[in-house]
Amino acid sequence: MPNSRACVQIFFFLIALLADDPLAAARSDPNKSNASLPTGLAMILPLVLSVPNSSRLSTRQDFHRQLRKDSSQKPNARMRLHDDLLTNGYYTTRLWIGTPPQEFALIVDSGSTVTYVPCSDCEQCGNHQDPRFQPELSSTYQKVMCNIDCTCDDLRKVCIYERQYAEQSSSSGVLGNDIISFGKESALGPQRAVFGCENAETGDLFSQHADGIIGLGSGPLSIMDQLVQKGVISDSFSLCYGGMDVGGGAMVLGGISPPPDMVFSRSDPVRSPYYNIELKELHVGGAPLPLPPKVFDGKHGTVLDSGTTYAYLPEAAFVAFRDAIIKNLHNLKQIRGPDPNYNDICFSGAGSDPSQLSKSFPKVEMVFSNGHKMLLTPENYLFRHSKVRGGYCLGVFQNGKDPTTLLGGIIVRNTLVTYDRQNQRIGFWNTNCSELWERLHMTTAPSPAPTSSISRNSALDGSPALPPAVLPDGIIPGEFRVGVITFEISSDVKYSDLVPQVTKLAEYIAQELEVNTYQVKLLNFTSEGNGTLLRCGVFPAGSSNYISNTTAKKIISRLTQHNVHLPDSFGSYQLVKWKIEPPQSRSWWQKHFLSVVVGLLVAVLLSSSTFLVRYIWRHRQAVGRYEAVNAASPEQELQQL
């Protein structure tokens, strides 16, 4: 099996959801790989972190026009996707669940068959990006009661689910049925769907920033299968991840007309319960690796998984690939990797511009059983060294003793991948994914946006389209306590130019909002076309866990009336949206943590002055002594059993 850095391979239900379904125990069951031309509604969800990459820019206008034509005939949903492969190890999309809608950031995962979010009564759930789902606040929520098709909690008489991962993380809870909305840009209206309401999570699922997972695999609980069964989309979806530094792109749920030069490989739903391709050869620098074709057909074959970051090859294939890459290098020096816990294969001297990497690293081609070839540029198999400027490391690793070949997101950067389930094939098309999205100008009428109403812990959602007059007094009810104010602004300054200035930007925002600098935090900033999308938060001052309503109204008024004036170096900006969240309830330990620590410290100091003197002396002796740079912690990724 892949080591702890592989996100998703294979896992089983500890409690099978559907006893009569032979695939119900697998985390991703892509037993269907089909759909060519759209026969139903299409749902398009853009992945956000994108700026054009000149090295992969597509100029095939006919395909872009065809995409626009198809999408104008068939309603679709447009949703942004945040985060990226290197920093987070995943992409997330936004979904709204319930009435009124409650918002969640979910990892896009083609290897998962369940969509789940933390539930309000969860006793063992982490502190994630958004508040937990509150069924009691949704007028349309329904429990999935026990029947012959699910694992039943005999005490509560409700259906339950459980997922266990190889690195000991897990998710378990009850199944619920509610309205799922796809955002204000969606032309596909809200749909009822079954999802998991978590009661417990452990490991990486507990500690990750994202709220949960949206399952795109094949299975009765998959969001894809549910929408296809309802007839609202055709049996196909596509993913398009952006380049090395910016991520981004688009996700399409539903069929699209494939570009004329899209390369296809057969995907056999019987061969493996996962989305798979028939990989026969790897070419490095134009020469095939000396490997038998069957090396890529072990166990589950060659599997595609959008939730996995890197690529993992069987031992023989990895050794041959590594040696061929090193043999084809030009004027590069092999260096240590950024993390001493791993024997990463890294090189320096290639420069910092990813568009120029092909001058130093060889091209790679994947050859399918039908003879078609998919080109991989260096950004499809390298990741940046986090400690050496101009350093890069192989994003391809040995898959332990597992003979499965696993291809994660790095392999399909700037590649449109169509999971054509209806026709049992998967297509690949090299393109600039951020540029692809920019060309998709949908003209269909959007479905209703999530309303600005009290939801999820009585959270308030706001729109920047408020009148420039005085902020309405009722925008924050008198009894509502404001815990944090989050807002998104779109700047016309390029991502690469803005990143070095983020600290100063937070200071200027704090100054304009008349709050302390430490109260303003930049939660996320991603590329958006030629500009940058920033997500910021204003937090309570000092030890308080809430912001006064008077201060909150003043902050919102300044934001919505564009009274935040930034230096010219930050360009012009637009407020995209704002939101008010209630205070997080604090446990006794959180409330009294400082007092307990101070008390213990005083007790230690009073009872052990000799220890204190010795500690100070030893500390003074250590001043000036060389200390190794702290290594980056190993990347934690989801892994199935």
Side-chain angles (χ1 to χ4, degrees):
M1 295 301 300
N3 58 35
S4 63
R5 300 175 71 178
C7 178
V8 190
Q9 280 98 55
I10 308 165
F11 80 97
F12 305 92
F13 281 132
L14 295 182
I15 303 176
L17 286 172
L18 301 174
D20 60 343
D21 183 355
L23 299 178
R27 176 172 180 265
S28 77
D29 317 285
N31 279 18
K32 290 187 278 183
S33 299
N34 11 319
S36 56
L37 298 179
T39 57
L41 308 186
M43 185 165 59
I44 298 183
L45 310 97
L47 318 179
V48 150
L49 302 166
S50 316
V51 293
N53 181 334
S54 60
S55 67
R56 304 294 295 274
L57 182 62
S58 170
T59 58
R60 284 166 271 188
Q61 304 288 347
D62 54 340
F63 174 62
H64 296 133
R65 285 194 294 269
Q66 183 64 47
L67 277 176
R68 292 198 296 273
K69 178 181 177 182
D70 290 343
S71 56
S72 66
Q73 293 173 350
K74 305 292 184 180
N76 53 73
R78 300 180 62 176
M79 295 172 58
R80 298 188 179 278
L81 223 121
H82 302 267
D83 305 309
D84 59 63
L85 291 176
L86 183 59
T87 305
N88 303 87
Y90 52 70
Y91 284 90
T92 58
T93 192
R94 285 283 178 174
L95 285 184
W96 288 261
I97 303 176
T99 307
Q102 303 177 40
E103 184 178 2
F104 301 96
L106 304 182
I107 296 174
V108 174
D109 192 353
S110 65
S112 179
T113 58
V114 180
T115 296
Y116 51 82
V117 298
C119 220
S120 58
D121 61 353
C122 182
E123 297 180 355
Q124 188 178 328
C125 286
N127 184 21
H128 301 298
Q129 184 169 333
D130 298 286
R132 300 171 184 176
F133 177 69
Q134 298 192 66
E136 63 275 13
L137 294 182
S138 174
S139 62
T140 50
Y141 177 79
Q142 298 174 353
K143 295 180 180 178
V144 179
M145 307 308 294
C146 289
N147 55 62
I148 60 173
D149 292 328
C150 77
T151 299
C152 182
D153 182 321
D154 294 330
L155 181 62
R156 293 178 291 177
K157 303 300 181 183
V158 295
C159 292
I160 59 177
Y161 79 96
E162 186 165 356
R163 291 292 189 273
Q164 179 72 44
Y165 297 83
E167 86 293 356
Q168 304 306 311
S169 64
S170 64
S171 171
S172 60
V174 300
L175 293 180
N177 186 310
D178 210 336
I179 301 296
I180 293 182
S181 306
F182 306 101
K184 63 183 180 182
E185 294 178 293
S186 173
L188 177 65
Q191 303 291 328
R192 269 203 171 273
V194 175
F195 66 98
C197 201
E198 285 184 310
N199 289 331
E201 56 187 15
T202 63
D204 294 341
L205 290 175
F206 183 90
S207 59
Q208 71 187 15
H209 187 54
D211 301 314
I213 285 179
I214 176 173
L216 300 175
S218 182
L221 292 180
S222 165
I223 190 68
M224 273 297 302
D225 283 60
Q226 293 187 66
L227 294 176
V228 169
Q229 185 176 14
K230 290 167 68 72
V232 295
I233 65 171
S234 53
D235 199 4
S236 174
F237 70 95
S238 300
L239 296 172
C240 200
Y241 287 177
M244 176 174 288
D245 293 329
V246 296
M251 180 169 74
V252 181
L253 301 189
I256 63 172
S257 295
D261 50 349
M262 175 170 269
V263 174
F264 286 94
S265 171
R266 181 171 183 266
S267 184
D268 187 353
V270 179
R271 170 66 181 81
S272 168
Y274 307 95
Y275 295 120
N276 58 86
I277 58 175
E278 295 182 343
L279 179 62
K280 293 302 180 184
E281 296 180 2
L282 276 179
H283 293 183
V284 177
L289 299 183
L291 297 167
K294 65 179 182 180
V295 72
F296 301 111
D297 196 37
K299 199 171 183 179
H300 293 285
T302 298
V303 173
L304 293 178
D305 187 357
S306 68
T308 296
T309 304
Y310 300 112
Y312 299 84
L313 302 179
E315 182 177 4
F318 168 75
V319 171
F321 179 80
R322 175 199 63 194
D323 293 347
I325 292 292
I326 294 176
K327 180 181 178 181
N328 280 270
L329 294 183
H330 308 292
N331 303 319
L332 298 183
K333 177 183 178 182
Q334 191 164 345
I335 58 175
R336 292 179 179 272
D339 189 343
N341 294 314
Y342 295 98
N343 295 321
D344 288 329
I345 301 168
C346 305
F347 312 92
S348 64
S352 59
D353 186 352
S355 67
Q356 302 300 311
L357 289 179
S358 58
K359 296 180 180 179
S360 302
F361 292 92
K363 68 176 182 179
V364 174
E365 290 177 309
M366 296 169 54
V367 184
F368 305 131
S369 59
N370 57 11
H372 294 171
K373 296 180 179 180
M374 173 190 170
L375 174 66
L376 303 181
T377 64
E379 70 174 352
N380 295 122
Y381 62 83
L382 297 174
F383 66 92
R384 283 193 184 276
H385 196 296
S386 60
K387 297 179 180 178
V388 177
R389 182 174 178 81
Y392 298 87
C393 305
L394 283 185
V396 179
F397 304 94
Q398 181 177 328
N399 198 5
K401 298 300 180 182
D402 193 325
T404 299
T405 297
L406 180 67
L407 305 180
I410 191 173
I411 293 293
V412 291
R413 281 170 167 168
N414 275 329
T415 304
L416 175 66
V417 183
T418 295
Y419 295 76
D420 187 354
R421 308 192 331 166
Q422 180 178 328
N423 294 313
Q424 300 183 7
R425 61 179 187 171
I426 295 179
F428 303 89
W429 188 59
N430 298 124
T431 187
N432 182 294
C433 288
S434 59
E435 178 70 14
L436 173 67
W437 179 252
E438 292 297 325
R439 295 177 183 273
L440 295 179
H441 302 297
M442 306 306 174
T443 58
T444 51
S447 63
T451 57
S452 296
S453 56
I454 299 178
S455 62
R456 311 205 333 251
N457 295 329
S458 298
L460 298 179
D461 294 313
S463 164
L466 290 175
V470 180
L471 194 70
D473 292 335
I475 194 69
I476 304 177
E479 71 278 5
F480 185 86
R481 280 196 167 186
V482 179
V484 61
I485 301 172
T486 60
F487 57 93
E488 292 184 5
I489 57 177
S490 178
S491 170
D492 60 1
V493 177
K494 289 184 178 180
Y495 175 86
S496 57
D497 295 334
L498 194 59
V499 169
Q501 306 184 72
V502 291
T503 302
K504 282 292 184 183
L505 177 59
E507 294 176 358
Y508 282 119
I509 292 176
Q511 179 179 331
E512 290 294 304
L513 296 179
E514 297 183 358
V515 297
N516 297 314
T517 302
Y518 67 82
Q519 289 181 253
V520 175
K521 298 180 181 179
L522 294 180
L523 305 178
N524 193 18
F525 46 97
T526 60
S527 297
E528 183 183 45
N530 290 322
T532 306
L533 182 69
L534 301 101
R535 184 169 182 264
C536 310
V538 181
F539 294 80
S543 59
S544 176
N545 73 328
Y546 70 93
I547 302 171
S548 71
N549 283 4
T550 300
T551 301
K553 289 179 181 178
K554 181 178 66 176
I555 291 172
I556 296 170
S557 178
R558 285 181 172 270
L559 289 170
T560 56
Q561 297 178 30
H562 302 285
N563 286 331
V564 176
H565 303 293
L566 303 176
D568 293 340
S569 59
F570 295 105
S572 61
Y573 76 93
Q574 287 185 337
L575 178 65
V576 177
K577 68 176 181 178
W578 57 269
K579 181 188 299 181
I580 297 177
E581 302 287 0
Q584 292 286 337
S585 59
R586 298 191 297 172
S587 65
W588 182 94
W589 176 252
Q590 290 174 314
K591 294 178 181 177
H592 301 281
F593 174 77
L594 184 59
S595 300
V596 172
V597 171
V598 171
L600 290 174
L601 182 59
V602 171
V604 170
L605 293 179
L606 291 177
S607 63
S608 185
S609 58
T610 302
F611 169 80
L612 178 61
V613 171
R614 288 180 178 176
Y615 171 79
I616 293 175
W617 171 248
R618 293 180 64 182
H619 179 71
R620 288 171 60 90
Q621 290 291 87
V623 172
R625 187 179 302 169
Y626 171 77
E627 295 289 343
V629 177
N630 290 333
S633 60
E635 182 172 283
Q636 300 298 312
E637 299 174 320
L638 295 178
Q639 230 180 4
Q640 303 153 284
L641 289 173

